């Protein structure tokens, strides 16, 4: 399948946004924009990253023409194998001990769960995304009595209701991406729909939270739109932001793909870039996270973009992307090999008589010999 430049660009922005959240300068004291520019990178890039995971699910299973039969089985196997590799890689990154909440374990778990919805009609997927966004935040507090340990990334409870990326809520982003990926992503009409819907959701999420907070006179866990609050309003705002970014990237990517090359190359090597920047943080120490500087953030961003751009231009697929592709494609090679015609399919019928019957009854039926 030919890559879509706009998707790679959006994925590149998501990765660079997460890098900014980890090593970018802290300017929460600003009032314009409220909470500073740093807040723009808090929670929203990771939500965009997960929405794009849902789009990837759709593309791996046929895009706007969903596959069926053996190809559907292959698509599910490819997704499950990739998800397993991401979970293992994420657990290993947690062991580095960086002061960064690694998203890959939850990401892999939600990626695998998305295989259950590959055959759902798009209206059903949209309805499920809305239901998870509304009910997930309500159900999540029911698990407060159980201990959630962030240092145990493979703990199912941590994946389900962890503080930063609770799958019980964030699965809405995956389903939203899956619904988007069932559309013609090169269509200007789809771009316009995504932009309009995204703007409406941003207004609903942040404007609705502000209006309800003013009406109640206080903020609650369900009425705030703060980053990582996992409230319905935050999900609506983050989903709207993701759709707006995606709409702009897709529209520009169709018209001026070369202008997006540096960022789209970063998106094509998103996993390598994400893992690489965590390895650098582990090597430099926690100071780059706890005491970030503008210069440090610019160095991280510049090196990532230039390296990914050069690698994409001269080598092609990223190293970690190559591993995911090779292993998952090999594991999904489930199509049965075509067997040659049966040896007796064109042979003349045996003559009647005791002798012929005896020859037929004494013949050794060796399936292996027939295949040879």
């Amino acid at each position: 399948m030919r890559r879509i430049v706009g998707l790679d660009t959006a994925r590149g922005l998501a990765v660079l946004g997460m890098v900014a959240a980890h090593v970018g300068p802290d300017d929460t004291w600003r009032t314009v924009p409220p909470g500073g520019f740093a807040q723009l990178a808090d929670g929203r890039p990771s939500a965009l990253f997960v929405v794009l995971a849902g789009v990837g699910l759709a593309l791996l299973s046929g895009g706007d023409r969903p596959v069926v039969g053996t190809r559907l089985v292959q698509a599910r196997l490819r997704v499950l194998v990739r998800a397993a590799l991401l979970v293992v890689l994420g657990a290993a990154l947690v062991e580095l001990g960086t002061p960064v909440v690694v998203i890959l374990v939850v990401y892999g778990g939600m990626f695998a769960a998305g295989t259950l919805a590959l055959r759902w009609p798009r209206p059903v997927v949209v309805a499920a995304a809305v239901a998870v966004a509304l009910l997930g935040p309500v159900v999540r507090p029911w698990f407060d009595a159980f201990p959630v340990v962030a240092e145990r990334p493979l703990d199912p409870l941590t994946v389900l209701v962890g503080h930063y990326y609770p799958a019980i809520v964030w699965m809405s982003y995956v389903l939203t991406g899956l619904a988007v990926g069932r559309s013609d992503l090169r269509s200007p009409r789809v771009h316009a729909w995504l932009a309009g819907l995204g703007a409406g959701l941003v207004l609903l999420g942040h404007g609705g939270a502000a209006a309800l907070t003013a009406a109640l006179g206080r903020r609650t866990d369900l009425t705030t739109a703060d980053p990582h609050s996992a409230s319905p309003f935050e999900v609506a705002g983050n989903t709207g932001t993701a759709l707006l970014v995606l709409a702009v990237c897709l529209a520009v990517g169709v018209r001026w793909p070369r202008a997006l090359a540096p960022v789209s190359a970063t998106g094509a090597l998103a996993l390598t870039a994400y893992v690489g920047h965590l390895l650098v943080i582990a090597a430099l120490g926690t100071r780059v996270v706890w005491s970030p500087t503008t210069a440090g953030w610019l160095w991280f961003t510049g090196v990532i973009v230039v390296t990914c751009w050069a690698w994409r231009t001269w080598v092609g697929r990223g190293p970690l992307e190559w591993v995911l592709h090779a292993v998952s494609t090999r594991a999904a090679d489930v199509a049965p090999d075509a067997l040659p015609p049966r040896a007796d399919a064109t042979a003349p019928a045996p003559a009647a008589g005791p002798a012929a019957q005896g020859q037929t009854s004494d013949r050794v039926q060796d399936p292996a010999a027939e295949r040879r």
Side-chain angles (χ1 to χ4, degrees):
M1 178 177 292
R2 187 158 54 96
R3 297 191 72 91
I4 300 175
V5 173
L7 286 180
D8 282 338
T9 304
R11 195 176 291 110
L13 291 175
V15 171
L16 295 177
M18 288 189 286
V19 172
H22 299 157
V23 300
D26 187 3
D27 60 347
T28 54
W29 50 269
R30 295 183 185 272
T31 56
V32 179
F37 290 100
Q39 188 177 353
L40 298 177
D42 194 359
R44 294 177 182 86
S46 50
L48 172 60
F49 197 54
V50 176
V51 168
L52 291 169
V55 177
L57 278 173
L59 295 181
L60 284 171
S61 56
D64 57 341
R65 297 180 180 179
V67 295
V68 295
T70 301
R71 291 189 180 277
L72 178 60
V73 174
Q74 289 176 319
R76 282 178 169 151
L77 285 174
R78 289 183 68 185
V79 170
L80 291 174
V81 171
R82 289 183 180 214
L85 293 175
L86 289 172
V87 168
V88 172
L89 180 59
L93 291 175
V94 171
E95 294 301 318
L96 293 176
T98 61
V100 172
V101 182
V102 180
I103 193 175
L104 290 185
V105 174
V106 179
Y107 182 96
M110 293 188 294
F111 201 52
T115 59
L116 300 175
L118 293 185
R119 294 196 64 184
W120 294 359
R122 186 165 53 181
V124 175
V125 177
V126 172
V130 174
V132 173
L134 294 176
L135 298 179
V138 176
V139 174
R140 186 186 176 203
W142 298 356
F143 295 87
D144 288 346
F146 301 94
V148 175
V149 183
E151 291 74 17
R152 297 204 308 251
L154 298 182
D155 182 2
L157 194 62
T158 302
V159 172
L160 187 65
V161 295
H163 176 70
Y164 283 93
Y165 311 116
I168 196 172
V169 177
W170 280 57
M171 195 65 199
S172 175
Y173 299 135
V174 176
L175 294 171
T176 298
L178 180 59
V180 171
R182 291 295 185 223
S183 309
D184 180 4
L185 297 179
R186 294 183 174 88
S187 168
R189 174 178 287 186
V190 171
H191 303 163
W193 269 103
L194 290 177
L197 180 59
L201 287 173
V202 169
L203 182 61
L204 173 64
H206 296 284
L212 192 56
T213 298
L216 295 176
R218 62 187 180 89
R219 287 194 305 177
T220 68
D221 292 340
L222 294 179
T223 60
T224 180
D226 288 347
H228 295 293
S229 60
S231 72
F233 291 102
E234 192 221 358
V235 174
N238 285 353
T239 301
T241 302
L243 295 183
L244 275 173
V245 172
L246 187 54
V248 173
C249 291
L250 288 172
V252 175
V254 169
R255 294 166 177 79
W256 305 287
R258 292 186 179 180
L260 302 178
V263 182
S264 63
T266 304
L269 277 73
L271 181 61
T272 298
Y274 179 83
V275 173
H277 101 279
L278 289 180
L279 293 177
V280 172
I281 290 175
L284 296 179
T286 60
R287 184 177 178 80
V288 296
V289 175
W290 296 127
S291 301
T293 63
T294 302
W297 166 59
L298 292 176
W299 271 107
F300 265 89
T301 302
V303 170
I304 288 173
V305 171
V306 171
T307 303
C308 290
W309 192 12
W311 186 286
R312 182 68 178 165
T313 301
W314 292 320
V315 181
R317 183 178 277 122
L320 292 180
E321 287 75 14
W322 181 88
V323 172
L324 286 187
H325 173 78
V327 176
S328 63
T329 302
R330 178 61 178 171
D333 185 16
V334 298
D337 295 330
L339 297 178
R342 289 176 57 89
D344 58 349
T346 57
Q357 294 174 1
Q359 290 176 357
T360 302
S361 61
D362 292 339
R363 180 182 177 187
V364 176
Q365 301 293 331
D366 183 3
E370 287 187 1
R371 286 198 296 271
R372 289 196 295 271

